[in-house]
Structures are given as structure tokens and as C-alpha cells.
């Protein structure tokens, strides 16, 4: 069983035990503002191998490398002016930049799946402090079995991976609730590789230009974790529901009028006020709760595609995708 340490009650113990565990090459459950990560030393091949094994993740899918700040990131990757501007505006925060890797970076090729680029993010709060104390970047995918719903609490991590890891740091519920937004600057254009916890419109405001949302196949190769079935609960998922069918949980956004709500197995409200940030923060926990009812299907009412709605709908489409 994994040991839990509450980082608010015992911050110093958390730093000491976590740095010692990471130095042994073991992955830990790490709270970030987006989702909980399964974090390990990005320079240690044995440690990275343990991340892939613990998650059952395909090794061609590169990991995001987390840094304490922009100065640290610049030691590992080469920044173009637009990427630097975005880093200065949004780090620490839910933005991942894909950048050319420095040849002498020390980040192990297993972390980048052999690519000549690296996805870098500077997380808010405790995770950044831990990386500063550890002194090396942490590779960290979301702390869940590959293809399943991401973890937004220490209990989610424990339920899924508790038998396979030794340490989970607990900071309560992740405030953002969906993974970071991933962009890559190429020839002065900003490509959105994954919508996430930073709204695309925020990036466009700072960059002063529109993001390229590429639907072309290369996006599948560059962000392979983003394709096909992912974020999958045990139940089937039905989107844009306007009614409730037999044996369904209903998850609502806003206060929609949904026919047959009274016969739903359960009704959960992502945000009665129609606040997309609140909905994002609740999303994965509600999917797990809906799944735990044993209902055959989880029906979602319509969620607008603006702001964080783009990331929410991206996750829901993957959750609803045909499974292998
Ligand atoms: O919020 C987050 O980003 C969370 C927390 C823990 O920080 N992490 C996370 O990592 O979502 P992960 O491994 O589940 O997602 C990484 C995504 C994958 O889709 C991967 O393909 C893409 O980032 N990625 C990583 N490095 C890349 C690179 N060099 N080029 C293109 N895509 C990359
Ligand atoms: Mg993930």
C-alpha cells in the first residue's frame, strides 16, 4: 500500500520523503493544479520505465517534463520568442510548451519517446517547490492506468495505482481538474496539440494571434495519447443528451431541461451556474462517481465549446469513443 502524506499538514516531511523516493528511481503520486501526476526523475531511465509499467502506457507516447521555473526550463530546451512570451505569461500554470530539446539536456530519451522535442510545464504550488528541492525535472503523466479517467484527488490515485506505488502526496482536489493545454510553436504559428486547463482564447490574447487547430494526421503522431478511446469509464458515454434512457446516470451542465430526469440512476450537476471552470474541476470525479453506480451509460447534457468547454468536450468525445 502507498504511504500518504498531507502536504499542507506536513510540507517538510513531504519534501524529504518525496525527494528520497525520487532519488531511488521510484515514481510518486504528485498533486498539481491540473490533475495528479505519476512523477519520476526525467533523467533516470529506470525511473521512467517504472512510469510506463505502472500506467501500462505505450512507450511511443512521450511524457511531459515538469520544471520549477522558466530558468530551469531554458537549461533543457530552446525557446523561440513566442514560446518565451507564453511561458512568462502563464507559468507556473496549466500550459505545456513543446520545444526543441537541447542535445546535452540529460533528459532521458525514454521520457521523450526518442523525439527531438520535449513537452515542458511549470506546475503551480507544491509540485514546483518539490522540483526545486530535487533539482532535476520530473516526468509526469496523469496518475491513472493508461486509457482510464485521470486522477484529481489522492484517493483517485490510491484506488487506481495504490498497489503499484509507495508514496502519494495529498493536496486535496486539483483546482483546475483537466490536464494542461499543449501548444507547439512552428514557423511563427502556434499549434494547439491538446486543449486543456488554459483556455485557447487566453493564449490567443497574449500571443496576439489565432491558434492553429490541426486536424491532420501528424497531430496524432505528435500527441498520440490524445487519440482514440481515452478517459474511458466502465460505463458507455452518451453526449448532448436531451432525455434520459433506461439505466443511465445524468450529468448536467447549467440547468438544462432534460426529459425523464426523474428516472435517472443518479443526477450530478457539473455547475448549476453554467461555470465552465467549476465544471472542469468536477469532471473526472463525477465521471468516477457516475461509473461507481454501475449504471450502463453516463449521459451528459450539452456543454458549450468555448473557454474550458473545449477541453471538457475533448475529454468527453474520447470517453465516448469506441473502445478497442
Ligand atoms: O496537466 C498535465 O499536463 C498533466 C499533469 C500531471 O502535469 N500531465 C499530463 O501528462 O497530462 P500526459 O503524459 O498524460 O500527457 C502528455 C501528452 C501526451 O498526449 C503526449 O503525447 C504529449 O503530451 N507530449 C509530450 N511530449 C510531447 C512532444 N515532445 N511532442 C508532442 N507531444 C508531446
Ligand atoms: Mg493522461
Amino acid at each position: 500500500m502507498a504511504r500518504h502524506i498531507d502536504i499542507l499538514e506536513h510540507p517538510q516531511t513531504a519534501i524529504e520523503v518525496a525527494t528520497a523516493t525520487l532519488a531511488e528511481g521510484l515514481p510518486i503520486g504528485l498533486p498539481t493544479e491540473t490533475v495528479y501526476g505519476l512523477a519520476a526523475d526525467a533523467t533516470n531511465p529506470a525511473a521512467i520505465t517504472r512510469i510506463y509499467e505502472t500506467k501500462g502506457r505505450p512507450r511511443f507516447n512521450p511524457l511531459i517534463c515538469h520544471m520549477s521555473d522558466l530558468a530551469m526550463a531554458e537549461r533543457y530546451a530552446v525557446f523561440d520568442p513566442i514560446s518565451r512570451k507564453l511561458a512568462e505569461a502563464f507559468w507556473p500554470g496549466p500550459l505545456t510548451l513543446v520545444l526543441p530539446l537541447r542535445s546535452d539536456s540529460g533528459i532521458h530519451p525514454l521520457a521523450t519517446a526518442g523525439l527531438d522535442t520535449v513537452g515542458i510545464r511549470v506546475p503551480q504550488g507544491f509540485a514546483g517547490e518539490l522540483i526545486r528541492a530535487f533539482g532535476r525535472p520530473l516526468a509526469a503523466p496523469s496518475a491513472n492506468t493508461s486509457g482510464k479517467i485521470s486522477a484529481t484527488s489522492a484517493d483517485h490515485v490510491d484506488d487506481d495505482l495504490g498497489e503499484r506505488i509507495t508514496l502519494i502526496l495529498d493536496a486535496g482536489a486539483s483546482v483546475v481538474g483537466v490536464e494542461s493545454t499543449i501548444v507547439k510553436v512552428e514557423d511563427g504559428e502556434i499549434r494547439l496539440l491538446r486543449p486543456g486547463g488554459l483556455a485557447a482564447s487566453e493564449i490567443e490574447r497574449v500571443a496576439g494571434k489565432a491558434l492553429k487547430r490541426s486536424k491532420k494526421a501528424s497531430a496524432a503522431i505528435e500527441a498520440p495519447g490524445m487519440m482514440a478511446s481515452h478517459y474511458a469509464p466502465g460505463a458507455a458515454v452518451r453526449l448532448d443528451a436531451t432525455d434520459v434512457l433506461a439505466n443511465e446516470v445524468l450529468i448536467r451542465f447549467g440547468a438544462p431541461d432534460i426529459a425523464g430526469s426523474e428516472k435517472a440512476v443518479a443526477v450530478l450537476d457539473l455547475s448549476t451556474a453554467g461555470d465552465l471552470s467549476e465544471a472542469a474541476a468536477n469532471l473526472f470525479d463525477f465521471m468516477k462517481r457516475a461509473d461507481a453506480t454501475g449504471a450502463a451509460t453516463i449521459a451528459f447534457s450539452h456543454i458549450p465549446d468555448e473557454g474550458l468547454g473545449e477541453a471538457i468536450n475533448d475529454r468527453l468525445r474520447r470517453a465516448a469513443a469506441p473502445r478497442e
Side-chain angles (χ1 to χ4, degrees), residues 119-161:
I120 296 187
R121 175 165 114 74
V122 174
Q124 285 166 6
F126 180 84
E129 286 170 47
L130 176 64
I131 296 162
R132 193 166 292 115
F134 187 57
R136 289 196 284 279
L138 296 181
S142 50
N144 54 275
T145 302
S146 187
K148 298 298 181 198
I149 301 168
S150 306
T152 53
S153 73
D155 285 344
H156 291 166
V157 180
D158 209 7
D159 289 346
D160 191 344
L161 305 177

Side-chain angles (χ1 to χ4, degrees), residues 35-36 55 57 61 141-151 179 194 225-226 230-231 315:
V35 298
Y36 275 64
K55 278 183 65 90
R57 176 173 172 125
N61 193 356
S142 50
N144 54 275
T145 302
S146 187
K148 298 298 181 198
I149 301 168
S150 306
E179 296 85 349
R194 174 176 79 180
M226 297 313 301
H230 219 77
Y231 308 95
R315 306 305 187 264

Side-chain angles (χ1 to χ4, degrees), residues 32 34-37 57 61-64 66 96 98 115 117-119 121 140-142 179-180 182 193-194 222-226:
T32 85
T34 56
V35 298
Y36 275 64
R57 176 173 172 125
N61 193 356
L63 306 172
I64 293 174
H66 297 68
T96 294
V98 174
L115 298 173
T117 55
V118 58
R121 175 165 114 74
S142 50
E179 296 85 349
S180 60
I182 306 179
L193 299 184
R194 174 176 79 180
E222 286 186 78
M226 297 313 301

